């Protein structure tokens, strides 16, 4: 049974709240602080109008795209509510209970769980925090990754940092269930290009994303920054900016024209 078939067979699954690529992805909300997304910055192949939603890469490193029929990635049905933390935690528990392949003695073969969907997970930061807490009560050693634009106000950053769900420092926490990495999409190294590509809303923008990275990095959180190797972007400048802000790693996402 494929991961997608497994996911769709779970009692807590409903369309629009989770999908699979190389691991399990959770979609906590459709809300976003920007008009555009990381996917829309990756090239014309991500602007499919036939499916009604931009496709996804088949994995973090792939040049190939995956449509909803392959990954289960789709928007919430019209009128459906965003998932609750209880729903998402139950789904994670059921997903791991159904897995038959070996994850390794220390979970080294486990890709963990990723927060990333149609919206930005930090637009539902309370749901993200409570989901991790609930999963931690049931299972040890699950590494979450939070993919975000980092566009949020100081209250949300304070809530995230004080929640206790973020792994910090160099301590080996493989036996604990935590958000092991926060991955921030940083599409450009200057405010004007950033605004052009993402079109942030509600008065948020480039400086807010930079402040988000700095605050988490200073708190000892493992922050990764990513950018797309677009023809109109100098990725080296974005990497230099990310490093100066305190990011511990940088990854280039492929341009799919």
């Amino acid at each position: 049974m494929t991961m997608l078939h497994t996911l769709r067979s779970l009692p807590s699954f409903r369309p629009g709240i989770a999908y699979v690529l190389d691991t399990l992805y959770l979609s906590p909300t459709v809300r976003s602080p920007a008009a555009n997304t990381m996917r829309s910055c990756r090239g014309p192949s991500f602007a499919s109008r036939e499916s009604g939603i931009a496709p996804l890469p088949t994995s973090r490193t792939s040049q190939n795209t995956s449509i909803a029929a392959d990954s289960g990635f789709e928007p919430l049905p019209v009128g459906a509510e965003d998932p609750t933390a209880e729903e998402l935690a139950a789904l994670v528990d059921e997903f791991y209970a159904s897995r038959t392949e070996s994850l390794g003695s220390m979970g080294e073969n486990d890709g963990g769980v990723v927060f990333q969907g149609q919206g930005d997970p930090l637009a539902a930061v309370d749901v993200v925090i409570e989901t991790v807490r609930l999963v931690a009560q049931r299972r040890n050693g699950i590494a979450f990754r939070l993919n975000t634009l980092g566009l949020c106000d100081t209250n949300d950053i304070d809530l995230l940092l004080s929640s206790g769900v973020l792994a910090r420092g160099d301590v080996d926490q493989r036996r604990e269930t935590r958000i092991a990495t926060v991955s921030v999409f940083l599409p450009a190294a200057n405010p004007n290009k950033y605004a052009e590509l993402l079109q942030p809303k509600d008065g948020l923008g480039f400086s807010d994303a930079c402040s988000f990275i700095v605050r988490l990095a200073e708190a000892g959180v493992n922050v990764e920054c990513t950018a797309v190797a677009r023809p109109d972007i100098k990725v080296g400048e974005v990497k230099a900016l990310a490093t100066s802000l305190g990011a511990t790693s940088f990854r280039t996402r492929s341009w799919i024209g």
Side-chain angles (χ1 to χ4, degrees), residues 38-206:
M38 177 270 290
R39 295 185 307 281
S40 67
C41 292
R42 294 193 65 176
S45 294
F46 283 81
S48 170
R49 299 192 181 280
E50 293 182 1
S51 62
I53 190 169
L56 292 170
T58 53
S59 72
R60 286 190 290 166
T61 58
S62 177
Q63 294 277 347
N64 299 316
T65 58
S66 173
I67 60 175
D70 301 322
S71 67
F73 180 69
E74 55 188 311
L76 279 171
V78 176
E81 295 184 354
D82 280 351
T84 64
E86 289 75 16
E87 276 186 284
L88 294 178
L91 191 64
V92 172
D93 189 44
E94 293 163 4
F95 184 78
Y96 274 85
S98 67
R99 300 186 71 174
T100 57
E101 72 275 27
S102 173
L103 300 179
S105 59
M106 294 293 291
E108 61 270 18
N109 298 327
D110 181 18
V113 179
V114 183
F115 288 108
Q116 180 183 1
Q118 181 69 358
D120 192 296
L122 285 184
V125 63
D126 52 339
V127 172
V128 168
I129 291 170
E130 188 60 18
T131 297
V132 178
R133 285 176 175 164
L134 291 172
V135 172
Q137 293 173 6
R138 305 173 188 180
R139 293 186 177 272
N140 294 325
I142 296 181
F144 283 85
R145 187 172 82 247
L146 173 62
N147 288 0
T148 178
L149 301 177
L151 293 172
C152 57
D153 61 32
T154 56
N155 290 334
D156 286 339
I157 300 176
D158 291 341
L159 181 61
L160 185 62
L161 288 173
S162 64
S163 66
V165 303
L166 292 169
R168 304 193 189 202
D170 298 326
V171 178
D172 185 352
Q173 300 187 23
R174 285 178 295 179
R175 294 189 180 277
E176 297 186 21
T177 291
R178 292 285 188 273
I179 296 176
T181 303
V182 177
S183 183
V184 182
F185 180 55
L186 193 61
N190 69 79
N192 291 336
K193 191 64 176 179
Y194 182 96
E196 174 192 331
L197 291 175
L198 282 183
Q199 299 181 28
K201 300 182 290 189
D202 303 323
L204 297 169
F206 179 77

